[in-house]
Amino acid sequence: MLQKQARPGYKKFIKTSAKTLIVVEAILFAVSYAGWYRLNTNRGGWDLGLLFVSIVVKCLISLSLPPGVTEFRYYVKENYPSILEAYYQLGETLGGDKSIRVYDENIWQQEQQQQQQVKK
């Protein structure tokens, strides 16, 4: 008569670990894509297209804007400059031009000039 032998427990552990790893990677990819999408499209304010992305980003990572800040890229520049630099470098590598960086710098200079004029 054949006797049943117990299955090794490591197979179940490996399967469970692999599934968990895949789920965690998918979540991290979604979060990084949401942050990139928001960084790439948000020039201030909120629209319905970014509502879902902002909810995901707020829930999963702490990149939400504090009250009174309306421009996401400027917020990232002030608080996470390495992320913005990597964003610019990726855009320059893929696109071949520095138009996004120059555009942002021009807008920020104009905003600073407007704030200085208001203070006077």
Side-chain angles (χ1 to χ4, degrees):
M1 180 177 245
L2 294 174
Q3 291 182 346
K4 287 188 176 181
Q5 295 181 354
R7 286 184 161 180
Y10 70 89
K11 287 185 181 181
K12 184 177 179 181
F13 176 75
I14 290 173
K15 283 183 181 180
T16 305
S17 299
K19 289 177 186 178
T20 304
L21 181 64
I22 290 170
V23 168
V24 168
E25 282 186 9
I27 290 171
L28 291 175
F29 176 77
V31 169
S32 64
Y33 177 76
W36 172 84
Y37 181 80
R38 186 172 176 191
L39 189 64
N40 198 32
T41 58
N42 191 357
R43 282 284 345 150
W46 297 96
D47 63 7
L48 293 177
L50 293 175
L51 182 61
F52 176 72
V53 174
S54 66
I55 290 171
V56 170
V57 170
K58 283 181 183 179
C59 291
L60 299 176
I61 56 176
S62 62
L63 285 180
S64 61
L65 295 173
V69 176
T70 59
E71 189 177 331
F72 186 67
R73 278 192 215 159
Y74 186 75
Y75 175 75
V76 173
K77 174 190 172 200
E78 293 296 316
N79 296 298
Y80 308 101
S82 60
I83 292 175
L84 190 63
E85 183 61 31
Y87 168 76
Y88 286 144
Q89 288 177 354
L90 180 65
E92 291 166 5
T93 301
L94 296 177
D97 62 352
K98 296 183 179 185
S99 61
I100 295 174
R101 185 188 304 254
V102 172
Y103 179 72
D104 284 344
E105 289 173 359
N106 288 338
I107 287 181
W108 295 330
Q109 287 175 356
Q110 289 174 0
E111 288 175 355
Q112 288 176 354
Q113 290 173 355
Q114 289 175 356
Q115 289 175 355
Q116 289 173 354
Q117 289 176 357
V118 170
K119 288 181 182 179
K120 290 179 183 180

